[in-house]
Amino acid sequence: MAAFTMPDEAVRWIEATIARYPDRQAAMLPVLWAVQREKGWISPDAMVWVGDRLGCSASAVQAVVRFYTMFDEAPVGRWKLQVCRTLSCELMGARAIVDRIREQLGIEPGETTPDGEFTLQEVECLASCGTAPMLQCNFKFYENLTPERIDALLEELRARTPDPDDVEPVIYERPDAEAYHAMFPRAIEPAAGAREGEVA
Amino acid sequence: MQRGLDRPGESHVLEAYEAAGGYRAIRKALGMSPEAIIEEVKKSGLRGRGGAGFPTGTKWSFIPRDSDKPRYLLCNSDESEPGTFKDRWLLENDPHLVLEGMMVAAVAIGSHLMFNYFRGEFTYPLARWRAAVEEAYRKGYLGKGIFGSDYDLELVTHYGAGAYIAGEETGMLESLEGKKAFPRNKPPFPAVEGLFRSPTLINNTETLATVPWIVENGADSYVQYGTEKSRGTKLWSCSGPIGRPGVYELEMGYDLMEFLEGDLGGMMEGVELKGIIPGGSSVPVLTPEECRGAKLDYEGLRERGSLVGSGGFIVIGDNMSAVDCLLNLAHFYAHESCGQCTPCREGCGWIEQLVQKILDGRGTQADLETILRVSDLMAGKTICALADAMAWPAVAFIKKYPQEFAALCAEPVDMNELTAAVGRHDHILPRAS
């Protein structure tokens, strides 16, 4: 098995970053980010390599990788679509956004398309509540989404190459009341099988 | 007080910030004694804007001055409280204001190395911030002898990787040390033994961004805004089916309904108000009746049984059931519980499963009472406040929308009994002191 390596430039960046902290292990998160940015995910070999750099065990590195949700322990799609599912987004139609992506791509949250293009995930609040619903695609936010905008976005992404430095959010015009209600047909009604409670 | 609110466009650039009067406070602070700076912040009555509302000047005064260890300043930009996006706004639009606030705090506590901890998802705010920091270093505002003084001040920008609990201040210390973000038992408090076991001051981004105004204009000017016990202004992150969502700076004591119906443009067409969570998802929801006449400040919201928290103002419409809201939040807390303390790790999961059961039409009166009892067994019984942050919404939603929960249950619910059960457990909710 080939030993894990990182490009010289990345190693220089990592050493310079470690030197900024009073303690080597404190650079854990930035170093893991550098690895994920370079390789797309964090392999067991990478954890050993990171542990050696930081002066801690590979299991300490693995514990951190597993604790933080943004680190991937397996390859993900070229585009990672992370739809915010928390309250402000659900109030504005996040379920309709997830449903549209599921239909369009034929995958469930947590899955990757067979061609390796897209991974779909539901994630927690991304601090874009005033421009909900929204998703993060790789390192970029797309805000004020509608199902129609999802269709266009997926098409656009297929034709594009990911650029980790492209981080400026895309904030669409806020959906009007009509577009909002179309996304949010759910009314208060008992779920199937439930019956009306009686006041004693 | 947030300069960027009036300077759209280039507000994040150093030149624009200085043209609007930026970096005067730090120059003034460098000519003051640390004790005088801390006294000014104490007198201003500023309270932490991250959620806990602890008096900022008092917190600063806890940093020992005679320690031979280095002292650290840590800015908490790990904004993750659902419904809150004001720190993101500040970092994108007013990074120099945050930076200046950090500088003043560092000088006040005698820190020469400060950290800003961003949440990992904040790639764009981070890019803006890095550019601002670079500008500051180039100008000699950071580094050796800042602003021509003999004060050295270095900054490390750190970023997380997805963990709500890293926003809890001792969880953040662990995270910044390269570990899982498990909150620490207190004492020792971070002011005595924080980052790398050294005295550490941790303040929220908005709190620090408020400091330059206070130091520049004086506490006497600041206390003219707001109320007797809630001084100054606060940023509110407003979301939900309303006319004009966004970040608003309000004087403390502003009328809640006037804010909703005026500034926020009221409810979206075709949606009626069901309730408002005024301070981020962790604080109890208010019914429309409780909202009427409520004042947006620390005492005003507490009097109604809720809290200012982070100022995440989530407006809920009648097109979403209270049960759905609670399930959404229970899923959040179950996912974000670090798992260290049993009441929280197990309790959040139980609540989520029981609310799901009710939504599926299989719930019973006993399930509702179990949610209340579990909440009671969580609140105040763990290392950090995440358990309370689950328990409060759980009890509040059932207490305030009991019919919606009862209507979904598989068997008739005795509402008198449910009310009695609520009465046995709602002592955990915040109340007027």
Side-chain angles (χ1 to χ4, degrees):
Chain A
M1 188 169 64
F4 180 87
T5 58
M6 287 280 284
D8 290 346
E9 196 195 336
V11 172
R12 276 194 298 276
W13 183 90
I14 285 170
E15 285 304 324
T17 300
I18 293 172
R20 308 250 323 138
Y21 291 87
D23 174 280
R24 289 185 80 82
Q25 192 178 335
M28 176 79 81
L29 297 182
V31 171
L32 286 172
W33 269 119
V35 170
Q36 181 155 306
R37 191 172 160 130
E38 185 62 36
K39 308 287 182 187
W41 60 294
I42 298 169
S43 64
D45 286 347
M47 294 180 203
V48 174
W49 187 88
V50 169
D52 287 344
R53 294 269 152 188
L54 300 180
C56 62
S57 66
S59 66
V61 179
Q62 187 186 50
V64 169
V65 171
R66 297 213 166 142
F67 186 82
Y68 296 88
T69 56
M70 294 181 81
F71 292 134
D72 294 307
E73 280 192 84
V76 291
R78 202 163 67 100
W79 297 108
K80 185 154 93 172
L81 304 173
Q82 299 183 297
V83 185
C84 175
R85 61 152 295 281
T86 320
L87 188 56
S88 296
C89 275
E90 183 169 358
L91 285 166
M92 295 306 289
R95 290 193 193 192
I97 300 303
V98 173
D99 285 347
R100 181 62 71 108
I101 298 174
R102 288 169 56 231
E103 287 159 20
Q104 289 286 357
L105 300 180
I107 53 173
E108 293 300 312
E111 294 177 354
T112 300
T113 53
D115 61 5
E117 280 290 284
F118 296 101
T119 296
L120 171 62
Q121 295 176 350
E122 285 181 310
V123 297
E124 302 299 343
C125 189
L126 291 173
S128 304
C129 323
T131 43
M134 62 82 65
L135 64 76
Q136 179 172 24
C137 173
N138 295 8
F139 295 101
K140 198 175 166 84
F141 285 13
Y142 291 84
E143 306 174 32
N144 280 331
L145 290 170
T146 61
E148 294 69 36
R149 285 168 182 159
I150 289 295
D151 297 348
L153 176 62
L154 294 177
E155 197 166 323
E156 182 204 319
L157 291 174
R158 280 202 175 89
R160 229 169 63 196
T161 308
D163 172 7
D165 294 320
D166 178 15
V167 295
E168 189 168 346
V170 173
I171 305 174
Y172 299 103
E173 199 183 323
R174 191 158 187 255
D176 61 15
E178 194 184 336
Y180 168 72
H181 285 288
M183 264 193 293
F184 206 87
R186 298 165 52 82
I188 310 165
E189 53 193 32
R195 64 190 174 88
E196 194 68 24
E198 290 156 27
V199 179
Chain B
M1 294 170 196
Q2 315 299 346
R3 298 180 200 279
L5 275 172
D6 300 323
R7 290 180 294 116
E10 294 299 300
S11 61
H12 59 289
V13 177
L14 191 144
E15 204 180 324
Y17 181 66
E18 286 207 296
Y23 289 120
R24 278 191 212 144
I26 178 62
R27 288 185 168 95
K28 185 175 173 186
L30 284 165
M32 293 165 74
S33 73
E35 293 76 13
I37 303 171
I38 294 174
E39 194 49 39
E40 208 60 26
V41 175
K42 265 190 185 170
K43 258 169 49 190
S44 76
L46 176 64
R47 293 165 68 168
R49 302 294 194 230
F54 191 81
T56 305
T58 308
K59 198 176 193 182
W60 290 17
S61 69
F62 291 157
I63 301 289
R65 302 211 66 87
D66 51 358
S67 168
D68 52 5
K69 292 178 183 172
R71 293 179 283 266
Y72 299 117
L73 170 74
L74 172 53
C75 175
N76 185 343
S77 297
D78 191 50
E79 180 173 58
S80 310
E81 174 74 4
T84 316
F85 48 101
K86 41 111 187 163
D87 294 338
R88 176 188 167 200
W89 186 92
L90 277 171
L91 294 161
E92 281 181 13
N93 297 288
D94 233 346
H96 285 287
L97 180 65
V98 178
L99 183 54
E100 186 176 9
M102 288 177 71
M103 291 171 176
V104 173
V107 169
I109 62 162
S111 167
H112 298 282
L113 178 57
M114 45 188 197
F115 297 85
N116 194 358
Y117 186 119
F118 281 67
R119 63 179 297 185
E121 296 90 341
F122 274 4
T123 50
Y124 188 57
L126 185 68
R128 282 265 173 108
W129 171 261
R130 283 194 192 285
V133 168
E134 203 172 298
E135 284 181 309
Y137 265 108
R138 231 181 295 131
K139 282 274 241 176
Y141 294 179
L142 281 171
K144 294 249 174 264
I146 62 168
F147 296 91
S149 72
D150 56 5
Y151 200 93
D152 299 342
L153 187 55
E154 295 292 332
L155 176 116
V156 173
T157 301
H158 194 81
Y159 39 100
Y164 172 69
I165 199 61
E168 197 277 341
E169 66 175 16
T170 58
M172 176 164 285
L173 296 173
E174 289 289 303
S175 180
L176 188 36
E177 290 180 5
K179 297 176 256 176
K180 294 186 279 190
F182 278 3
R184 296 177 182 171
N185 260 313
K186 294 183 272 194
F189 286 90
V192 178
E193 213 176 284
L195 204 49
F196 315 113
R197 314 203 73 167
S198 286
T200 306
L201 172 66
I202 309 163
N203 278 147
N204 166 257
T205 312
E206 182 191 349
T207 310
L208 289 167
T210 311
V211 165
W213 196 98
I214 293 169
V215 169
E216 190 187 335
N217 300 284
D220 290 342
S221 305
Y222 190 77
V223 299
Q224 287 171 20
Y225 296 93
T227 69
E228 182 69 31
K229 287 185 174 165
S230 301
R231 301 295 194 185
T233 65
K234 165 95 190 79
L235 294 180
W236 298 86
S237 313
C238 306
S239 65
I242 49 177
R244 287 183 293 274
V247 177
Y248 291 76
E249 182 180 16
L250 299 183
E251 189 172 350
M252 287 288 188
Y254 204 83
D255 185 82
L256 190 155
M257 286 311 277
E258 201 179 309
F259 182 46
L260 175 64
E261 283 161 7
D263 307 88
L264 298 179
M267 299 300 291
M268 225 175 192
E269 203 188 316
V271 189
E272 294 293 323
L273 177 65
K274 170 175 293 209
I276 295 177
I277 301 176
S281 65
S282 304
V283 311
V285 62
L286 299 174
T287 62
E289 293 69 37
E290 290 169 323
C291 289
R292 259 170 236 126
K295 302 294 177 208
L296 291 171
D297 61 52
Y298 292 104
E299 287 66 39
L301 287 177
R302 192 171 260 279
E303 190 225 311
R304 300 293 163 122
S306 194
L307 297 167
V308 166
S310 62
F313 191 91
I314 308 169
V315 180
I316 301 166
D318 62 350
N319 54 349
M320 184 142 146
S321 84
V323 189
D324 270 310
C325 291
L326 180 56
L327 179 65
N328 184 296
L329 296 181
H331 182 84
F332 173 83
Y333 290 108
H335 181 261
E336 299 298 339
S337 171
C338 80
Q340 220 183 164
C341 311
T342 306
C344 178
R345 181 187 64 240
E346 302 300 320
C348 292
W350 280 12
I351 292 176
E352 184 191 2
Q353 287 178 43
L354 288 171
V355 178
Q356 182 69 62
K357 185 179 170 194
I358 293 166
L359 258 179
D360 291 345
R362 296 181 291 113
T364 63
Q365 177 129 25
D367 293 327
L368 282 168
E369 289 176 14
T370 303
I371 294 173
L372 295 166
R373 202 173 60 247
V374 166
S375 301
D376 200 343
L377 290 168
M378 292 168 70
K381 295 175 182 67
T382 51
I383 292 174
C384 84
L386 193 144
D388 305 68
M390 171 76 267
W392 288 346
V395 173
F397 271 110
I398 295 176
K399 177 179 181 172
K400 298 177 186 193
Y401 305 94
Q403 298 288 357
E404 290 190 28
F405 286 85
L408 290 179
C409 284
E411 299 160 9
V413 169
D414 180 332
M415 296 308 283
N416 292 330
E417 252 181 52
L418 180 57
T419 306
V422 166
R424 282 195 295 278
H425 302 293
D426 68 353
H427 63 93
I428 67 163
L429 295 178
R431 55 191 63 226
S433 40

